[in-house]
Amino acid sequence: QLVESGGGSVQAGGSLRLSCAARTGTFRSACMAWFRQAPGKEREGVAAIDRVGRTLYADSVKGQFTISKDNDKITLHLQINGLKPEDTAMYFCAAYVCPWYAVVGGSSLDPSRYTYWGQGTQVTVS
């Protein structure tokens, strides 16, 4: 029900815009996030957004990543600037149904909180 796109191979310093299209209206009532997983490493939460647009970022990506959500198209985006080789990973979007008053917090980057996952899009930086 979540389909990511926008990944690719880029040189260090470049930018990418990842997108995650939701197939059903269920995700209008969802809190959403982006995760990434590099080979041999655990899945890492990088950015989250609640239903009213408040955002939270992992310390490692602050100032580099920007998460946004288009509620009309039910699409989640992740703008990544200044790509570094250490950003190489599979990037996943995820969602869970949350009340309108839910606010992003530390647990918003915990993968165990999320019910729905996309198949991932690969980002490779050289």
PDB file of all heavy atoms in Angstrom, residues 15-57:
ATOM      1  N   SER A  15      21.890  15.589  -4.863  1.00  0.00           N
ATOM      2  CA  SER A  15      20.612  15.598  -4.160  1.00  0.00           C
ATOM      3  C   SER A  15      19.670  14.573  -4.780  1.00  0.00           C
ATOM      4  O   SER A  15      19.790  14.223  -5.953  1.00  0.00           O
ATOM      5  CB  SER A  15      19.964  16.982  -4.257  1.00  0.00           C
ATOM      6  OG  SER A  15      20.759  17.972  -3.645  1.00  0.00           O
ATOM      7  N   LEU A  16      18.746  14.114  -3.955  1.00  0.00           N
ATOM      8  CA  LEU A  16      17.676  13.232  -4.410  1.00  0.00           C
ATOM      9  C   LEU A  16      16.398  13.619  -3.704  1.00  0.00           C
ATOM     10  O   LEU A  16      16.435  14.111  -2.571  1.00  0.00           O
ATOM     11  CB  LEU A  16      17.997  11.768  -4.104  1.00  0.00           C
ATOM     12  CG  LEU A  16      18.984  11.031  -5.002  1.00  0.00           C
ATOM     13  CD1 LEU A  16      19.257   9.644  -4.431  1.00  0.00           C
ATOM     14  CD2 LEU A  16      18.467  10.920  -6.417  1.00  0.00           C
ATOM     15  N   ARG A  17      15.286  13.367  -4.362  1.00  0.00           N
ATOM     16  CA  ARG A  17      13.972  13.542  -3.740  1.00  0.00           C
ATOM     17  C   ARG A  17      13.257  12.210  -3.812  1.00  0.00           C
ATOM     18  O   ARG A  17      12.888  11.745  -4.899  1.00  0.00           O
ATOM     19  CB  ARG A  17      13.174  14.622  -4.458  1.00  0.00           C
ATOM     20  CG  ARG A  17      11.793  14.886  -3.870  1.00  0.00           C
ATOM     21  CD  ARG A  17      11.146  16.048  -4.613  1.00  0.00           C
ATOM     22  NE  ARG A  17       9.764  16.268  -4.327  1.00  0.00           N
ATOM     23  CZ  ARG A  17       9.296  16.976  -3.308  1.00  0.00           C
ATOM     24  NH1 ARG A  17      10.141  17.527  -2.444  1.00  0.00           N
ATOM     25  NH2 ARG A  17       8.008  17.153  -3.145  1.00  0.00           N
ATOM     26  N   LEU A  18      13.082  11.596  -2.677  1.00  0.00           N
ATOM     27  CA  LEU A  18      12.371  10.334  -2.595  1.00  0.00           C
ATOM     28  C   LEU A  18      10.892  10.606  -2.404  1.00  0.00           C
ATOM     29  O   LEU A  18      10.507  11.571  -1.735  1.00  0.00           O
ATOM     30  CB  LEU A  18      12.901   9.491  -1.436  1.00  0.00           C
ATOM     31  CG  LEU A  18      14.419   9.260  -1.384  1.00  0.00           C
ATOM     32  CD1 LEU A  18      14.752   8.326  -0.221  1.00  0.00           C
ATOM     33  CD2 LEU A  18      14.949   8.741  -2.688  1.00  0.00           C
ATOM     34  N   SER A  19      10.071   9.746  -2.976  1.00  0.00           N
ATOM     35  CA  SER A  19       8.628   9.870  -2.829  1.00  0.00           C
ATOM     36  C   SER A  19       8.045   8.543  -2.382  1.00  0.00           C
ATOM     37  O   SER A  19       8.595   7.481  -2.672  1.00  0.00           O
ATOM     38  CB  SER A  19       7.985  10.296  -4.138  1.00  0.00           C
ATOM     39  OG  SER A  19       8.412  11.587  -4.514  1.00  0.00           O
ATOM     40  N   CYS A  20       6.933   8.630  -1.692  1.00  0.00           N
ATOM     41  CA  CYS A  20       6.238   7.438  -1.212  1.00  0.00           C
ATOM     42  C   CYS A  20       4.746   7.672  -1.458  1.00  0.00           C
ATOM     43  O   CYS A  20       4.135   8.539  -0.809  1.00  0.00           O
ATOM     44  CB  CYS A  20       6.517   7.233   0.265  1.00  0.00           C
ATOM     45  SG  CYS A  20       5.545   5.936   1.046  1.00  0.00           S
ATOM     46  N   ALA A  21       4.202   6.928  -2.391  1.00  0.00           N
ATOM     47  CA  ALA A  21       2.793   7.084  -2.744  1.00  0.00           C
ATOM     48  C   ALA A  21       1.950   6.089  -1.963  1.00  0.00           C
ATOM     49  O   ALA A  21       2.242   4.889  -1.951  1.00  0.00           O
ATOM     50  CB  ALA A  21       2.612   6.874  -4.238  1.00  0.00           C
ATOM     51  N   ALA A  22       0.913   6.605  -1.330  1.00  0.00           N
ATOM     52  CA  ALA A  22      -0.007   5.747  -0.587  1.00  0.00           C
ATOM     53  C   ALA A  22      -1.164   5.365  -1.488  1.00  0.00           C
ATOM     54  O   ALA A  22      -1.720   6.221  -2.192  1.00  0.00           O
ATOM     55  CB  ALA A  22      -0.519   6.477   0.646  1.00  0.00           C
ATOM     56  N   ARG A  23      -1.528   4.112  -1.462  1.00  0.00           N
ATOM     57  CA  ARG A  23      -2.547   3.608  -2.392  1.00  0.00           C
ATOM     58  C   ARG A  23      -3.965   3.799  -1.900  1.00  0.00           C
ATOM     59  O   ARG A  23      -4.899   3.675  -2.685  1.00  0.00           O
ATOM     60  CB  ARG A  23      -2.303   2.120  -2.648  1.00  0.00           C
ATOM     61  CG  ARG A  23      -0.977   1.793  -3.292  1.00  0.00           C
ATOM     62  CD  ARG A  23      -0.827   2.423  -4.641  1.00  0.00           C
ATOM     63  NE  ARG A  23       0.274   1.845  -5.406  1.00  0.00           N
ATOM     64  CZ  ARG A  23       0.722   2.309  -6.549  1.00  0.00           C
ATOM     65  NH1 ARG A  23       0.173   3.388  -7.064  1.00  0.00           N
ATOM     66  NH2 ARG A  23       1.706   1.724  -7.183  1.00  0.00           N
ATOM     67  N   THR A  24      -4.136   4.023  -0.604  1.00  0.00           N
ATOM     68  CA  THR A  24      -5.489   4.164  -0.089  1.00  0.00           C
ATOM     69  C   THR A  24      -5.615   5.408   0.778  1.00  0.00           C
ATOM     70  O   THR A  24      -4.610   5.930   1.276  1.00  0.00           O
ATOM     71  CB  THR A  24      -5.892   2.946   0.750  1.00  0.00           C
ATOM     72  OG1 THR A  24      -5.228   3.006   2.027  1.00  0.00           O
ATOM     73  CG2 THR A  24      -5.556   1.643   0.061  1.00  0.00           C
ATOM     74  N   GLY A  25      -6.837   5.821   0.983  1.00  0.00           N
ATOM     75  CA  GLY A  25      -7.100   6.991   1.807  1.00  0.00           C
ATOM     76  C   GLY A  25      -6.813   6.788   3.276  1.00  0.00           C
ATOM     77  O   GLY A  25      -6.814   7.754   4.042  1.00  0.00           O
ATOM     78  N   THR A  26      -6.541   5.551   3.667  1.00  0.00           N
ATOM     79  CA  THR A  26      -6.217   5.264   5.070  1.00  0.00           C
ATOM     80  C   THR A  26      -5.086   6.152   5.564  1.00  0.00           C
ATOM     81  O   THR A  26      -5.054   6.585   6.718  1.00  0.00           O
ATOM     82  CB  THR A  26      -5.806   3.790   5.231  1.00  0.00           C
ATOM     83  OG1 THR A  26      -6.888   2.963   4.844  1.00  0.00           O
ATOM     84  CG2 THR A  26      -5.406   3.480   6.666  1.00  0.00           C
ATOM     85  N   PHE A  27      -4.178   6.466   4.657  1.00  0.00           N
ATOM     86  CA  PHE A  27      -2.978   7.175   5.058  1.00  0.00           C
ATOM     87  C   PHE A  27      -3.192   8.675   5.249  1.00  0.00           C
ATOM     88  O   PHE A  27      -2.267   9.383   5.656  1.00  0.00           O
ATOM     89  CB  PHE A  27      -1.855   6.883   4.067  1.00  0.00           C
ATOM     90  CG  PHE A  27      -1.515   5.422   4.034  1.00  0.00           C
ATOM     91  CD1 PHE A  27      -1.998   4.600   3.039  1.00  0.00           C
ATOM     92  CD2 PHE A  27      -0.763   4.861   5.054  1.00  0.00           C
ATOM     93  CE1 PHE A  27      -1.724   3.251   3.030  1.00  0.00           C
ATOM     94  CE2 PHE A  27      -0.479   3.502   5.059  1.00  0.00           C
ATOM     95  CZ  PHE A  27      -0.953   2.699   4.048  1.00  0.00           C
ATOM     96  N   ARG A  28      -4.411   9.155   4.988  1.00  0.00           N
ATOM     97  CA  ARG A  28      -4.713  10.526   5.373  1.00  0.00           C
ATOM     98  C   ARG A  28      -4.735  10.653   6.897  1.00  0.00           C
ATOM     99  O   ARG A  28      -4.570  11.740   7.437  1.00  0.00           O
ATOM    100  CB  ARG A  28      -6.070  10.956   4.815  1.00  0.00           C
ATOM    101  CG  ARG A  28      -6.139  11.022   3.308  1.00  0.00           C
ATOM    102  CD  ARG A  28      -7.486  11.571   2.857  1.00  0.00           C
ATOM    103  NE  ARG A  28      -7.664  11.428   1.419  1.00  0.00           N
ATOM    104  CZ  ARG A  28      -7.174  12.244   0.513  1.00  0.00           C
ATOM    105  NH1 ARG A  28      -6.437  13.281   0.895  1.00  0.00           N
ATOM    106  NH2 ARG A  28      -7.394  12.035  -0.762  1.00  0.00           N
ATOM    107  N   SER A  29      -4.940   9.536   7.568  1.00  0.00           N
ATOM    108  CA  SER A  29      -4.998   9.511   9.034  1.00  0.00           C
ATOM    109  C   SER A  29      -3.757   8.861   9.627  1.00  0.00           C
ATOM    110  O   SER A  29      -3.827   8.204  10.661  1.00  0.00           O
ATOM    111  CB  SER A  29      -6.254   8.744   9.480  1.00  0.00           C
ATOM    112  OG  SER A  29      -7.410   9.309   8.928  1.00  0.00           O
ATOM    113  N   ALA A  30      -2.654   9.033   8.959  1.00  0.00           N
ATOM    114  CA  ALA A  30      -1.447   8.325   9.391  1.00  0.00           C
ATOM    115  C   ALA A  30      -0.326   9.269   9.795  1.00  0.00           C
ATOM    116  O   ALA A  30      -0.183  10.362   9.247  1.00  0.00           O
ATOM    117  CB  ALA A  30      -0.943   7.414   8.270  1.00  0.00           C
ATOM    118  N   CYS A  31       0.449   8.823  10.737  1.00  0.00           N
ATOM    119  CA  CYS A  31       1.754   9.403  11.023  1.00  0.00           C
ATOM    120  C   CYS A  31       2.749   8.610  10.170  1.00  0.00           C
ATOM    121  O   CYS A  31       2.635   7.385  10.063  1.00  0.00           O
ATOM    122  CB  CYS A  31       2.089   9.263  12.503  1.00  0.00           C
ATOM    123  SG  CYS A  31       1.050  10.285  13.574  1.00  0.00           S
ATOM    124  N   MET A  32       3.701   9.307   9.589  1.00  0.00           N
ATOM    125  CA  MET A  32       4.560   8.641   8.621  1.00  0.00           C
ATOM    126  C   MET A  32       6.026   8.975   8.877  1.00  0.00           C
ATOM    127  O   MET A  32       6.347   9.937   9.583  1.00  0.00           O
ATOM    128  CB  MET A  32       4.163   9.044   7.201  1.00  0.00           C
ATOM    129  CG  MET A  32       2.713   8.722   6.870  1.00  0.00           C
ATOM    130  SD  MET A  32       2.227   9.074   5.173  1.00  0.00           S
ATOM    131  CE  MET A  32       3.019   7.682   4.333  1.00  0.00           C
ATOM    132  N   ALA A  33       6.883   8.162   8.291  1.00  0.00           N
ATOM    133  CA  ALA A  33       8.315   8.357   8.529  1.00  0.00           C
ATOM    134  C   ALA A  33       9.131   7.719   7.417  1.00  0.00           C
ATOM    135  O   ALA A  33       8.627   6.896   6.652  1.00  0.00           O
ATOM    136  CB  ALA A  33       8.716   7.756   9.869  1.00  0.00           C
ATOM    137  N   TRP A  34      10.372   8.112   7.354  1.00  0.00           N
ATOM    138  CA  TRP A  34      11.357   7.485   6.486  1.00  0.00           C
ATOM    139  C   TRP A  34      12.398   6.785   7.353  1.00  0.00           C
ATOM    140  O   TRP A  34      12.872   7.348   8.351  1.00  0.00           O
ATOM    141  CB  TRP A  34      12.054   8.524   5.613  1.00  0.00           C
ATOM    142  CG  TRP A  34      11.220   9.041   4.491  1.00  0.00           C
ATOM    143  CD1 TRP A  34      10.474  10.187   4.475  1.00  0.00           C
ATOM    144  CD2 TRP A  34      11.030   8.429   3.212  1.00  0.00           C
ATOM    145  NE1 TRP A  34       9.839  10.318   3.268  1.00  0.00           N
ATOM    146  CE2 TRP A  34      10.172   9.256   2.469  1.00  0.00           C
ATOM    147  CE3 TRP A  34      11.516   7.260   2.607  1.00  0.00           C
ATOM    148  CZ2 TRP A  34       9.775   8.963   1.168  1.00  0.00           C
ATOM    149  CZ3 TRP A  34      11.120   6.964   1.320  1.00  0.00           C
ATOM    150  CH2 TRP A  34      10.262   7.811   0.606  1.00  0.00           C
ATOM    151  N   PHE A  35      12.748   5.592   6.919  1.00  0.00           N
ATOM    152  CA  PHE A  35      13.802   4.814   7.554  1.00  0.00           C
ATOM    153  C   PHE A  35      14.826   4.451   6.495  1.00  0.00           C
ATOM    154  O   PHE A  35      14.550   4.479   5.303  1.00  0.00           O
ATOM    155  CB  PHE A  35      13.222   3.530   8.167  1.00  0.00           C
ATOM    156  CG  PHE A  35      12.320   3.777   9.341  1.00  0.00           C
ATOM    157  CD1 PHE A  35      10.993   4.162   9.154  1.00  0.00           C
ATOM    158  CD2 PHE A  35      12.790   3.638  10.633  1.00  0.00           C
ATOM    159  CE1 PHE A  35      10.157   4.402  10.245  1.00  0.00           C
ATOM    160  CE2 PHE A  35      11.967   3.881  11.716  1.00  0.00           C
ATOM    161  CZ  PHE A  35      10.657   4.258  11.520  1.00  0.00           C
ATOM    162  N   ARG A  36      15.998   4.076   6.943  1.00  0.00           N
ATOM    163  CA  ARG A  36      16.999   3.570   6.005  1.00  0.00           C
ATOM    164  C   ARG A  36      17.734   2.406   6.655  1.00  0.00           C
ATOM    165  O   ARG A  36      17.822   2.306   7.874  1.00  0.00           O
ATOM    166  CB  ARG A  36      17.981   4.657   5.589  1.00  0.00           C
ATOM    167  CG  ARG A  36      18.883   5.180   6.693  1.00  0.00           C
ATOM    168  CD  ARG A  36      19.755   6.322   6.172  1.00  0.00           C
ATOM    169  NE  ARG A  36      20.621   6.869   7.196  1.00  0.00           N
ATOM    170  CZ  ARG A  36      21.407   7.912   7.027  1.00  0.00           C
ATOM    171  NH1 ARG A  36      21.440   8.553   5.845  1.00  0.00           N
ATOM    172  NH2 ARG A  36      22.167   8.351   8.016  1.00  0.00           N
ATOM    173  N   GLN A  37      18.227   1.539   5.798  1.00  0.00           N
ATOM    174  CA  GLN A  37      18.980   0.384   6.289  1.00  0.00           C
ATOM    175  C   GLN A  37      20.133   0.108   5.337  1.00  0.00           C
ATOM    176  O   GLN A  37      19.919  -0.179   4.155  1.00  0.00           O
ATOM    177  CB  GLN A  37      18.080  -0.842   6.412  1.00  0.00           C
ATOM    178  CG  GLN A  37      18.743  -2.018   7.089  1.00  0.00           C
ATOM    179  CD  GLN A  37      17.744  -3.085   7.502  1.00  0.00           C
ATOM    180  OE1 GLN A  37      16.632  -3.157   6.991  1.00  0.00           O
ATOM    181  NE2 GLN A  37      18.146  -3.928   8.453  1.00  0.00           N
ATOM    182  N   ALA A  38      21.327   0.210   5.875  1.00  0.00           N
ATOM    183  CA  ALA A  38      22.533  -0.115   5.122  1.00  0.00           C
ATOM    184  C   ALA A  38      22.872  -1.579   5.348  1.00  0.00           C
ATOM    185  O   ALA A  38      22.488  -2.161   6.367  1.00  0.00           O
ATOM    186  CB  ALA A  38      23.679   0.783   5.567  1.00  0.00           C
ATOM    187  N   PRO A  39      23.598  -2.186   4.435  1.00  0.00           N
ATOM    188  CA  PRO A  39      23.961  -3.604   4.598  1.00  0.00           C
ATOM    189  C   PRO A  39      24.683  -3.849   5.925  1.00  0.00           C
ATOM    190  O   PRO A  39      25.610  -3.130   6.287  1.00  0.00           O
ATOM    191  CB  PRO A  39      24.894  -3.861   3.407  1.00  0.00           C
ATOM    192  CG  PRO A  39      24.470  -2.870   2.387  1.00  0.00           C
ATOM    193  CD  PRO A  39      24.075  -1.649   3.164  1.00  0.00           C
ATOM    194  N   GLY A  40      24.196  -4.851   6.643  1.00  0.00           N
ATOM    195  CA  GLY A  40      24.818  -5.216   7.898  1.00  0.00           C
ATOM    196  C   GLY A  40      24.479  -4.320   9.065  1.00  0.00           C
ATOM    197  O   GLY A  40      25.017  -4.504  10.164  1.00  0.00           O
ATOM    198  N   LYS A  41      23.593  -3.357   8.843  1.00  0.00           N
ATOM    199  CA  LYS A  41      23.219  -2.443   9.919  1.00  0.00           C
ATOM    200  C   LYS A  41      21.732  -2.531  10.221  1.00  0.00           C
ATOM    201  O   LYS A  41      20.942  -3.015   9.407  1.00  0.00           O
ATOM    202  CB  LYS A  41      23.599  -1.008   9.538  1.00  0.00           C
ATOM    203  CG  LYS A  41      25.095  -0.778   9.419  1.00  0.00           C
ATOM    204  CD  LYS A  41      25.400   0.691   9.243  1.00  0.00           C
ATOM    205  CE  LYS A  41      26.907   0.944   9.212  1.00  0.00           C
ATOM    206  NZ  LYS A  41      27.221   2.391   9.060  1.00  0.00           N
ATOM    207  N   GLU A  42      21.351  -2.046  11.378  1.00  0.00           N
ATOM    208  CA  GLU A  42      19.949  -2.028  11.763  1.00  0.00           C
ATOM    209  C   GLU A  42      19.207  -0.920  11.013  1.00  0.00           C
ATOM    210  O   GLU A  42      19.796   0.061  10.566  1.00  0.00           O
ATOM    211  CB  GLU A  42      19.814  -1.815  13.269  1.00  0.00           C
ATOM    212  CG  GLU A  42      20.337  -2.965  14.109  1.00  0.00           C
ATOM    213  CD  GLU A  42      20.026  -2.789  15.582  1.00  0.00           C
ATOM    214  OE1 GLU A  42      19.523  -1.719  15.961  1.00  0.00           O
ATOM    215  OE2 GLU A  42      20.292  -3.723  16.359  1.00  0.00           O
ATOM    216  N   ARG A  43      17.893  -1.109  10.910  1.00  0.00           N
ATOM    217  CA  ARG A  43      17.055  -0.091  10.282  1.00  0.00           C
ATOM    218  C   ARG A  43      17.055   1.152  11.178  1.00  0.00           C
ATOM    219  O   ARG A  43      16.838   1.059  12.389  1.00  0.00           O
ATOM    220  CB  ARG A  43      15.656  -0.620  10.074  1.00  0.00           C
ATOM    221  CG  ARG A  43      14.784   0.260   9.212  1.00  0.00           C
ATOM    222  CD  ARG A  43      13.560  -0.488   8.726  1.00  0.00           C
ATOM    223  NE  ARG A  43      13.929  -1.582   7.826  1.00  0.00           N
ATOM    224  CZ  ARG A  43      13.048  -2.263   7.107  1.00  0.00           C
ATOM    225  NH1 ARG A  43      11.769  -1.958   7.170  1.00  0.00           N
ATOM    226  NH2 ARG A  43      13.444  -3.251   6.327  1.00  0.00           N
ATOM    227  N   GLU A  44      17.258   2.302  10.556  1.00  0.00           N
ATOM    228  CA  GLU A  44      17.427   3.556  11.286  1.00  0.00           C
ATOM    229  C   GLU A  44      16.344   4.543  10.862  1.00  0.00           C
ATOM    230  O   GLU A  44      16.164   4.799   9.669  1.00  0.00           O
ATOM    231  CB  GLU A  44      18.813   4.135  10.970  1.00  0.00           C
ATOM    232  CG  GLU A  44      19.049   5.530  11.492  1.00  0.00           C
ATOM    233  CD  GLU A  44      20.296   6.174  10.897  1.00  0.00           C
ATOM    234  OE1 GLU A  44      20.749   5.744   9.824  1.00  0.00           O
ATOM    235  OE2 GLU A  44      20.802   7.139  11.506  1.00  0.00           O
ATOM    236  N   GLY A  45      15.651   5.120  11.828  1.00  0.00           N
ATOM    237  CA  GLY A  45      14.679   6.163  11.532  1.00  0.00           C
ATOM    238  C   GLY A  45      15.398   7.461  11.254  1.00  0.00           C
ATOM    239  O   GLY A  45      16.276   7.855  12.030  1.00  0.00           O
ATOM    240  N   VAL A  46      15.058   8.139  10.154  1.00  0.00           N
ATOM    241  CA  VAL A  46      15.742   9.380   9.825  1.00  0.00           C
ATOM    242  C   VAL A  46      14.827  10.602   9.909  1.00  0.00           C
ATOM    243  O   VAL A  46      15.294  11.692  10.213  1.00  0.00           O
ATOM    244  CB  VAL A  46      16.417   9.319   8.442  1.00  0.00           C
ATOM    245  CG1 VAL A  46      17.539   8.302   8.432  1.00  0.00           C
ATOM    246  CG2 VAL A  46      15.417   9.006   7.334  1.00  0.00           C
ATOM    247  N   ALA A  47      13.538  10.438   9.624  1.00  0.00           N
ATOM    248  CA  ALA A  47      12.641  11.595   9.651  1.00  0.00           C
ATOM    249  C   ALA A  47      11.214  11.118   9.827  1.00  0.00           C
ATOM    250  O   ALA A  47      10.839  10.074   9.291  1.00  0.00           O
ATOM    251  CB  ALA A  47      12.763  12.410   8.372  1.00  0.00           C
ATOM    252  N   ALA A  48      10.434  11.880  10.582  1.00  0.00           N
ATOM    253  CA  ALA A  48       9.039  11.539  10.820  1.00  0.00           C
ATOM    254  C   ALA A  48       8.180  12.788  10.710  1.00  0.00           C
ATOM    255  O   ALA A  48       8.665  13.914  10.917  1.00  0.00           O
ATOM    256  CB  ALA A  48       8.876  10.900  12.194  1.00  0.00           C
ATOM    257  N   ILE A  49       6.892  12.575  10.421  1.00  0.00           N
ATOM    258  CA  ILE A  49       5.970  13.696  10.292  1.00  0.00           C
ATOM    259  C   ILE A  49       4.607  13.263  10.818  1.00  0.00           C
ATOM    260  O   ILE A  49       4.169  12.132  10.583  1.00  0.00           O
ATOM    261  CB  ILE A  49       5.893  14.169   8.824  1.00  0.00           C
ATOM    262  CG1 ILE A  49       5.096  15.470   8.705  1.00  0.00           C
ATOM    263  CG2 ILE A  49       5.325  13.094   7.908  1.00  0.00           C
ATOM    264  CD1 ILE A  49       5.266  16.147   7.339  1.00  0.00           C
ATOM    265  N   ASP A  50       3.950  14.145  11.562  1.00  0.00           N
ATOM    266  CA  ASP A  50       2.628  13.787  12.076  1.00  0.00           C
ATOM    267  C   ASP A  50       1.550  14.331  11.154  1.00  0.00           C
ATOM    268  O   ASP A  50       1.839  14.891  10.092  1.00  0.00           O
ATOM    269  CB  ASP A  50       2.449  14.243  13.530  1.00  0.00           C
ATOM    270  CG  ASP A  50       2.534  15.757  13.708  1.00  0.00           C
ATOM    271  OD1 ASP A  50       2.225  16.508  12.757  1.00  0.00           O
ATOM    272  OD2 ASP A  50       2.885  16.194  14.820  1.00  0.00           O
ATOM    273  N   ARG A  51       0.295  14.201  11.560  1.00  0.00           N
ATOM    274  CA  ARG A  51      -0.804  14.534  10.661  1.00  0.00           C
ATOM    275  C   ARG A  51      -0.919  16.030  10.393  1.00  0.00           C
ATOM    276  O   ARG A  51      -1.476  16.414   9.366  1.00  0.00           O
ATOM    277  CB  ARG A  51      -2.107  13.972  11.226  1.00  0.00           C
ATOM    278  CG  ARG A  51      -2.190  12.472  11.122  1.00  0.00           C
ATOM    279  CD  ARG A  51      -3.477  11.921  11.706  1.00  0.00           C
ATOM    280  NE  ARG A  51      -4.663  12.482  11.072  1.00  0.00           N
ATOM    281  CZ  ARG A  51      -5.903  12.137  11.396  1.00  0.00           C
ATOM    282  NH1 ARG A  51      -6.095  11.243  12.345  1.00  0.00           N
ATOM    283  NH2 ARG A  51      -6.934  12.679  10.784  1.00  0.00           N
ATOM    284  N   VAL A  52      -0.416  16.845  11.285  1.00  0.00           N
ATOM    285  CA  VAL A  52      -0.531  18.287  11.038  1.00  0.00           C
ATOM    286  C   VAL A  52       0.751  18.881  10.482  1.00  0.00           C
ATOM    287  O   VAL A  52       0.833  20.091  10.286  1.00  0.00           O
ATOM    288  CB  VAL A  52      -0.966  19.033  12.315  1.00  0.00           C
ATOM    289  CG1 VAL A  52      -2.330  18.564  12.758  1.00  0.00           C
ATOM    290  CG2 VAL A  52       0.059  18.894  13.407  1.00  0.00           C
ATOM    291  N   GLY A  53       1.748  18.023  10.245  1.00  0.00           N
ATOM    292  CA  GLY A  53       2.956  18.487   9.582  1.00  0.00           C
ATOM    293  C   GLY A  53       4.144  18.775  10.465  1.00  0.00           C
ATOM    294  O   GLY A  53       5.167  19.272   9.979  1.00  0.00           O
ATOM    295  N   ARG A  54       4.047  18.459  11.734  1.00  0.00           N
ATOM    296  CA  ARG A  54       5.217  18.622  12.606  1.00  0.00           C
ATOM    297  C   ARG A  54       6.231  17.549  12.250  1.00  0.00           C
ATOM    298  O   ARG A  54       5.875  16.425  11.928  1.00  0.00           O
ATOM    299  CB  ARG A  54       4.813  18.523  14.070  1.00  0.00           C
ATOM    300  CG  ARG A  54       4.006  19.713  14.554  1.00  0.00           C
ATOM    301  CD  ARG A  54       3.512  19.488  15.962  1.00  0.00           C
ATOM    302  NE  ARG A  54       2.464  18.467  15.972  1.00  0.00           N
ATOM    303  CZ  ARG A  54       1.246  18.670  16.427  1.00  0.00           C
ATOM    304  NH1 ARG A  54       0.905  19.869  16.878  1.00  0.00           N
ATOM    305  NH2 ARG A  54       0.371  17.677  16.446  1.00  0.00           N
ATOM    306  N   THR A  55       7.484  17.891  12.309  1.00  0.00           N
ATOM    307  CA  THR A  55       8.531  16.979  11.862  1.00  0.00           C
ATOM    308  C   THR A  55       9.564  16.708  12.936  1.00  0.00           C
ATOM    309  O   THR A  55       9.734  17.489  13.880  1.00  0.00           O
ATOM    310  CB  THR A  55       9.239  17.547  10.620  1.00  0.00           C
ATOM    311  OG1 THR A  55       9.809  18.821  10.941  1.00  0.00           O
ATOM    312  CG2 THR A  55       8.270  17.695   9.468  1.00  0.00           C
ATOM    313  N   LEU A  56      10.252  15.593  12.767  1.00  0.00           N
ATOM    314  CA  LEU A  56      11.314  15.191  13.680  1.00  0.00           C
ATOM    315  C   LEU A  56      12.396  14.539  12.835  1.00  0.00           C
ATOM    316  O   LEU A  56      12.088  13.762  11.928  1.00  0.00           O
ATOM    317  CB  LEU A  56      10.781  14.203  14.717  1.00  0.00           C
ATOM    318  CG  LEU A  56      11.797  13.643  15.702  1.00  0.00           C
ATOM    319  CD1 LEU A  56      12.167  14.716  16.723  1.00  0.00           C
ATOM    320  CD2 LEU A  56      11.243  12.409  16.425  1.00  0.00           C
ATOM    321  N   TYR A  57      13.648  14.854  13.147  1.00  0.00           N
ATOM    322  CA  TYR A  57      14.768  14.299  12.402  1.00  0.00           C
ATOM    323  C   TYR A  57      15.769  13.641  13.340  1.00  0.00           C
ATOM    324  O   TYR A  57      15.984  14.102  14.463  1.00  0.00           O
ATOM    325  CB  TYR A  57      15.483  15.395  11.610  1.00  0.00           C
ATOM    326  CG  TYR A  57      14.622  16.042  10.560  1.00  0.00           C
ATOM    327  CD1 TYR A  57      13.892  17.190  10.844  1.00  0.00           C
ATOM    328  CD2 TYR A  57      14.510  15.494   9.285  1.00  0.00           C
ATOM    329  CE1 TYR A  57      13.075  17.779   9.885  1.00  0.00           C
ATOM    330  CE2 TYR A  57      13.704  16.072   8.322  1.00  0.00           C
ATOM    331  CZ  TYR A  57      12.990  17.210   8.623  1.00  0.00           C
ATOM    332  OH  TYR A  57      12.185  17.783   7.670  1.00  0.00           O
TER     333      TYR A  57
END
